[in-house]
Amino acid sequence: MTTVLIADDQPLQRFGSRMLLESQDDMTVVGEAANGSEAVRMAAELHPDVVLMDIRMPGLDGIEATRRITAAGDRTRILIVTTFDLDEYAYAGLRAGASGFLVKDAQPEELLAGVRAVASGDAVVAPSLTRRLLDAYVHHLPADPGAEDATGDDSRLASLTDREREILTVIGQGWTNTEIAARLHLAESTVKTHVGRILAKTGSRDRIQAVILAYDTKLVQPS
């Protein structure tokens, strides 16, 4: 059973999301938060599998709430809900640790599929779309304080082998596993093993976070 916390300052939006999620045999809503502070507190108390996180809320917004929840190191994953498709809020949410984003007018089946994907450890945004977000907004938001310089010489990369660093670079460029296998002449199973090791060594929650890491450490430059 997938447990979900809904964080949204609009009561009707929360009601609609709850009705949809609880119509499914494999989902249950464990709580509702009307702002970011409530979401952080309830996530710590309830340990939901997924937080359905609105961005624009009074007080503590959804981006900072996402950052605090993911920084706590719990298993909870964040699915950002945003009003606009490619905007700086979606980018900031991903960078804060969210595992994906959906627009508010997404179809019910898209929302359900997104919750299931995030709960299972997958990302809801394709790496190529993440790259478009980063290319569009990387100059407009503060740099990650963990990024040390513009050469890719970052402590988060220190344990990577040369091959893993190469694969992280092309992950950052939006390549899929199939494309990596074909272009680097590797078996796809070998690529999956490398990707898993990269995520583990760099502490990236998922492939989206690996793309962001490639940007933050300057392995990949904006187009």
Side-chain angles (χ1 to χ4, degrees), residues 145-185:
E148 295 173 6
D149 58 39
T151 66
D153 185 16
D154 185 287
S155 60
R156 291 170 292 180
L157 307 180
S159 62
L160 298 183
T161 65
D162 289 343
R163 175 62 91 180
E164 288 165 352
R165 187 180 286 235
E166 178 184 24
I167 290 176
L168 176 58
T169 300
V170 296
I171 288 174
Q173 293 170 351
W175 293 18
T176 65
N177 284 358
T178 301
E179 290 170 333
I180 295 171
R183 298 181 191 183
L184 299 185
H185 307 290

Side-chain angles (χ1 to χ4, degrees), residues 77-124:
R77 290 178 173 268
I78 311 295
L79 181 56
I80 290 285
V81 181
T82 181
T83 305
F84 304 103
D85 187 353
L86 290 178
D87 68 2
E88 70 272 22
Y89 296 106
Y91 164 67
L94 294 177
R95 194 168 185 176
S99 294
F101 78 90
L102 291 172
V103 292
K104 277 199 170 183
D105 60 357
Q107 295 298 310
E109 57 269 22
E110 293 179 290
L111 177 60
L112 295 172
V115 171
R116 290 188 177 102
V118 168
S120 69
D122 290 336
V124 179

Side-chain angles (χ1 to χ4, degrees), residues 198-212:
I198 290 166
L199 297 182
K201 288 181 178 181
T202 62
S204 300
R205 290 167 64 87
D206 50 40
R207 197 182 185 99
I208 287 176
Q209 300 306 313
V211 175
I212 293 171

